[in-house]
Amino acid sequence: MDYSSLMLTRRSCRLFRSQTISPEAVEAILKAALLAPSSCDRHTTRFVVVDGPELLMRLADAKESGSAFLRQAPLAVVLADNPLDNDCWVEDASIAAFAMQCQAHDLGVASCWVQIRERYLSDGTKSEDVVKGIVGLEEADRVLCVIAFGLPARDAAPHNEDTLKWENIIIR
């Protein structure tokens, strides 16, 4: 798939088929994460792969809303880093996340980003702390997001180029 087609057809997916993703596809998605550019070529982002139904259920409850679909995803990846190791951790993890999502789409695997950083439960508990407890990350780690992966349960229409917000482009 060429890049233009990939960008037009990649959509966030929150409804997955129950079947698992092939080990080869998972490896390719993780390889894309490891190949993604990073500040000063540090590559400090960590990727916690979660494919157990019990842990996926617990991750689905790590924030108030926008994560319930993790319950039926066959795979999720938690992206985390220690800000003391990399002051550009948010940027680096974001780039890696997008690389993973693009690679997944190219392989016919759908995905959706679940924002964790700066999200909280109704009692004030940080979603990051919940996720760190579930997957066993260190206290100093920060969690940017969880990305759900799976085979899409339905086809999504490509983006409509007529709705692009060209007004957001400023030329000086």
Side-chain angles (χ1 to χ4, degrees):
M1 174 181 314
D2 66 59
Y3 189 75
S4 295
S5 296
L6 187 141
M7 291 303 294
L8 281 171
T9 58
R10 199 217 70 78
R11 304 298 297 256
S12 292
C13 176
R14 294 171 183 84
L15 187 61
F16 305 105
R17 288 189 240 154
S18 60
Q19 68 191 96
T20 60
I21 303 167
S22 76
E24 296 81 15
V26 173
E27 182 177 342
I29 291 166
L30 295 172
K31 184 176 180 181
L34 297 173
L35 287 170
S38 76
S39 175
C40 300
D41 206 26
R42 285 181 259 198
H43 297 279
T44 57
T45 304
R46 282 182 296 291
F47 309 91
V48 182
V49 179
V50 180
D51 63 1
E54 180 184 318
L55 291 182
L56 289 164
M57 293 283 214
R58 291 176 59 200
L59 286 175
D61 294 328
K63 60 185 269 190
E64 285 303 310
S65 64
S67 58
F69 60 89
L70 284 167
R71 284 183 180 85
Q72 46 89 31
L75 179 79
V77 178
V78 176
L79 284 82
D81 204 339
N82 183 334
L84 298 175
D85 295 336
N86 181 357
D87 64 331
C88 295
W89 77 273
V90 171
E91 294 84 352
D92 288 355
S94 296
I95 293 166
F98 187 65
M100 294 169 69
Q101 290 186 285
C102 287
Q103 178 63 73
H105 180 64
D106 188 52
L107 297 169
V109 176
S111 65
C112 190
W113 173 301
V114 177
Q115 180 68 20
I116 298 297
R117 187 179 70 86
E118 302 300 329
R119 298 299 182 260
Y120 301 85
L121 293 173
S122 61
D123 66 2
T125 303
K126 291 174 80 171
S127 295
E128 286 186 76
D129 292 341
V130 175
V131 171
K132 287 192 295 189
I134 293 168
V135 300
L137 289 167
E138 300 293 322
E139 180 67 29
D141 286 332
R142 298 288 311 275
V143 178
L144 176 68
C145 65
V146 178
I147 300 182
F149 293 97
L151 300 176
R154 60 178 177 236
D155 292 331
H159 290 281
N160 179 350
E161 288 188 77
D162 294 337
T163 64
L164 294 177
K165 293 188 175 193
W166 287 99
E167 65 272 17
N168 290 346
I169 305 294
I170 301 167
I171 301 173
R172 300 272 188 242

